[in-house]
Short mmCIF file of all heavy atoms in Angstrom, two decimals:
data_model
loop_
_atom_site.label_atom_id
_atom_site.label_comp_id
_atom_site.label_asym_id
_atom_site.label_seq_id
_atom_site.Cartn_x
_atom_site.Cartn_y
_atom_site.Cartn_z
N PHE A 361 -42.41 48.84 2.58
CA PHE A 361 -42.91 50.20 2.51
C PHE A 361 -44.33 50.11 1.97
O PHE A 361 -44.54 49.64 0.86
CB PHE A 361 -42.01 51.03 1.58
CG PHE A 361 -42.08 52.50 1.82
CD1 PHE A 361 -42.28 53.02 3.09
CD2 PHE A 361 -41.95 53.40 0.77
CE1 PHE A 361 -42.33 54.37 3.31
CE2 PHE A 361 -42.00 54.77 0.99
CZ PHE A 361 -42.20 55.26 2.25
N GLU A 362 -45.30 50.49 2.80
CA GLU A 362 -46.69 50.21 2.48
C GLU A 362 -47.53 51.47 2.43
O GLU A 362 -47.14 52.50 2.94
CB GLU A 362 -47.30 49.31 3.56
CG GLU A 362 -46.56 48.04 3.79
CD GLU A 362 -47.00 47.33 5.05
OE1 GLU A 362 -47.79 47.89 5.82
OE2 GLU A 362 -46.51 46.22 5.26
N GLY A 363 -48.69 51.32 1.89
CA GLY A 363 -49.65 52.41 1.85
C GLY A 363 -50.49 52.26 0.61
O GLY A 363 -50.19 51.44 -0.26
N GLU A 364 -51.57 53.01 0.53
CA GLU A 364 -52.38 53.02 -0.68
C GLU A 364 -51.83 54.14 -1.54
O GLU A 364 -51.63 55.24 -1.04
CB GLU A 364 -53.84 53.32 -0.32
CG GLU A 364 -54.50 52.23 0.49
CD GLU A 364 -54.83 51.02 -0.36
OE1 GLU A 364 -55.18 51.19 -1.54
OE2 GLU A 364 -54.70 49.88 0.14
N ARG A 365 -51.64 53.85 -2.83
CA ARG A 365 -51.04 54.89 -3.65
C ARG A 365 -51.93 56.12 -3.74
O ARG A 365 -51.46 57.22 -3.91
CB ARG A 365 -50.73 54.35 -5.04
CG ARG A 365 -49.30 54.64 -5.39
CD ARG A 365 -48.91 54.08 -6.73
NE ARG A 365 -49.32 52.67 -6.86
CZ ARG A 365 -49.33 52.06 -8.02
NH1 ARG A 365 -49.00 52.71 -9.11
NH2 ARG A 365 -49.69 50.80 -8.10
N SER A 366 -53.25 55.89 -3.63
CA SER A 366 -54.16 57.02 -3.75
C SER A 366 -54.22 57.83 -2.45
O SER A 366 -54.80 58.90 -2.41
CB SER A 366 -55.55 56.51 -4.10
OG SER A 366 -55.87 55.43 -3.26
N HIS A 367 -53.66 57.32 -1.39
CA HIS A 367 -53.61 58.07 -0.14
C HIS A 367 -52.21 58.61 0.06
O HIS A 367 -51.25 58.12 -0.51
CB HIS A 367 -54.01 57.20 1.05
CG HIS A 367 -55.48 56.93 1.11
ND1 HIS A 367 -56.05 55.91 0.40
CD2 HIS A 367 -56.48 57.54 1.78
CE1 HIS A 367 -57.35 55.90 0.63
NE2 HIS A 367 -57.64 56.89 1.46
N GLN A 368 -52.14 59.56 0.99
CA GLN A 368 -50.90 60.26 1.17
C GLN A 368 -49.94 59.51 2.09
O GLN A 368 -48.73 59.64 1.97
CB GLN A 368 -51.31 61.58 1.81
CG GLN A 368 -50.30 62.64 1.84
CD GLN A 368 -50.85 63.81 2.65
OE1 GLN A 368 -51.94 63.77 3.22
NE2 GLN A 368 -50.06 64.85 2.71
N TYR A 369 -50.47 58.69 2.98
CA TYR A 369 -49.63 58.16 4.05
C TYR A 369 -48.92 56.88 3.66
O TYR A 369 -49.44 56.04 2.94
CB TYR A 369 -50.45 57.96 5.32
CG TYR A 369 -50.96 59.28 5.79
CD1 TYR A 369 -52.30 59.61 5.72
CD2 TYR A 369 -50.05 60.24 6.20
CE1 TYR A 369 -52.74 60.86 6.08
CE2 TYR A 369 -50.48 61.49 6.56
CZ TYR A 369 -51.82 61.80 6.50
OH TYR A 369 -52.23 63.04 6.83
N ARG A 370 -47.68 56.77 4.14
CA ARG A 370 -46.84 55.60 3.87
C ARG A 370 -46.29 55.10 5.19
O ARG A 370 -45.88 55.89 6.03
CB ARG A 370 -45.65 56.00 3.00
CG ARG A 370 -46.01 56.66 1.68
CD ARG A 370 -46.48 55.63 0.67
NE ARG A 370 -46.71 56.25 -0.62
CZ ARG A 370 -47.88 56.76 -1.00
NH1 ARG A 370 -48.91 56.74 -0.18
NH2 ARG A 370 -48.01 57.30 -2.19
N ILE A 371 -46.25 53.79 5.31
CA ILE A 371 -45.73 53.19 6.54
C ILE A 371 -44.54 52.30 6.21
O ILE A 371 -44.62 51.45 5.34
CB ILE A 371 -46.83 52.39 7.26
CG1 ILE A 371 -47.89 53.37 7.77
CG2 ILE A 371 -46.26 51.59 8.41
CD1 ILE A 371 -49.07 52.71 8.37
N LEU A 372 -43.45 52.54 6.90
CA LEU A 372 -42.26 51.72 6.73
C LEU A 372 -42.18 50.77 7.92
O LEU A 372 -42.20 51.19 9.07
CB LEU A 372 -41.02 52.62 6.70
CG LEU A 372 -39.70 51.92 6.45
CD1 LEU A 372 -39.68 51.31 5.05
CD2 LEU A 372 -38.54 52.89 6.58
N ARG A 373 -42.12 49.48 7.60
CA ARG A 373 -42.25 48.47 8.64
C ARG A 373 -41.13 47.45 8.48
O ARG A 373 -40.81 47.06 7.36
CB ARG A 373 -43.59 47.79 8.42
CG ARG A 373 -44.15 46.98 9.51
CD ARG A 373 -45.36 46.22 8.98
NE ARG A 373 -46.50 47.06 8.64
CZ ARG A 373 -47.37 47.52 9.52
NH1 ARG A 373 -47.25 47.24 10.79
NH2 ARG A 373 -48.38 48.25 9.13
N ALA A 374 -40.52 47.04 9.58
CA ALA A 374 -39.51 45.97 9.51
C ALA A 374 -40.21 44.64 9.69
O ALA A 374 -40.97 44.46 10.64
CB ALA A 374 -38.46 46.18 10.59
N LEU A 375 -40.00 43.71 8.74
CA LEU A 375 -40.62 42.40 8.84
C LEU A 375 -39.66 41.41 9.49
O LEU A 375 -40.06 40.39 10.01
CB LEU A 375 -41.01 41.88 7.46
CG LEU A 375 -41.92 42.78 6.64
CD1 LEU A 375 -42.17 42.19 5.27
CD2 LEU A 375 -43.24 42.99 7.37
N LYS A 376 -38.36 41.73 9.38
CA LYS A 376 -37.33 40.90 10.01
C LYS A 376 -36.21 41.85 10.36
O LYS A 376 -35.91 42.75 9.58
CB LYS A 376 -36.84 39.86 9.00
CG LYS A 376 -35.45 39.32 9.27
CD LYS A 376 -34.98 38.36 8.20
CE LYS A 376 -33.51 38.04 8.39
NZ LYS A 376 -33.02 37.09 7.42
N ASN A 377 -35.64 41.70 11.55
CA ASN A 377 -34.53 42.58 11.91
C ASN A 377 -33.60 41.83 12.84
O ASN A 377 -33.96 41.53 13.96
CB ASN A 377 -35.07 43.85 12.58
CG ASN A 377 -34.00 44.92 12.71
OD1 ASN A 377 -32.81 44.62 12.56
ND2 ASN A 377 -34.39 46.13 12.97
N ARG A 378 -32.41 41.52 12.33
CA ARG A 378 -31.46 40.77 13.17
C ARG A 378 -30.87 41.66 14.25
O ARG A 378 -30.24 41.17 15.17
CB ARG A 378 -30.33 40.21 12.31
CG ARG A 378 -30.75 39.02 11.50
CD ARG A 378 -29.55 38.36 10.82
NE ARG A 378 -29.99 37.28 9.96
CZ ARG A 378 -29.38 36.93 8.85
NH1 ARG A 378 -28.31 37.60 8.46
NH2 ARG A 378 -29.81 35.95 8.13
N PHE A 379 -31.05 42.97 14.15
CA PHE A 379 -30.42 43.87 15.12
C PHE A 379 -31.43 44.62 15.97
O PHE A 379 -31.07 45.56 16.66
CB PHE A 379 -29.55 44.90 14.41
CG PHE A 379 -28.60 44.31 13.44
CD1 PHE A 379 -28.73 44.55 12.09
CD2 PHE A 379 -27.58 43.50 13.89
CE1 PHE A 379 -27.85 44.00 11.20
CE2 PHE A 379 -26.69 42.95 12.99
CZ PHE A 379 -26.83 43.20 11.65
N GLY A 380 -32.69 44.30 15.89
CA GLY A 380 -33.63 45.09 16.67
C GLY A 380 -35.03 44.50 16.62
O GLY A 380 -35.24 43.41 16.10
N ALA A 381 -35.97 45.25 17.16
CA ALA A 381 -37.34 44.78 17.21
C ALA A 381 -38.01 44.98 15.86
O ALA A 381 -37.54 45.75 15.05
CB ALA A 381 -38.10 45.55 18.28
N VAL A 382 -39.10 44.26 15.64
CA VAL A 382 -39.79 44.41 14.36
C VAL A 382 -41.13 45.10 14.51
O VAL A 382 -41.92 45.12 13.59
CB VAL A 382 -40.00 43.06 13.65
CG1 VAL A 382 -38.72 42.51 13.13
CG2 VAL A 382 -40.69 42.09 14.57
N ASP A 383 -41.38 45.68 15.68
CA ASP A 383 -42.72 46.25 15.82
C ASP A 383 -42.76 47.77 15.71
O ASP A 383 -43.80 48.36 15.86
CB ASP A 383 -43.37 45.77 17.12
CG ASP A 383 -42.48 46.04 18.31
OD1 ASP A 383 -41.41 46.62 18.11
OD2 ASP A 383 -42.86 45.67 19.42
#
Side-chain angles (χ1 to χ4, degrees):
F361 202 34
E362 304 167 354
E364 294 286 325
R365 232 177 311 166
S366 47
H367 286 84
Q368 194 186 3
Y369 297 110
R370 303 283 185 270
I371 292 175
L372 183 64
R373 196 189 292 279
L375 304 178
K376 156 183 171 178
N377 192 344
R378 285 189 184 148
F379 309 113
V382 289
D383 53 3

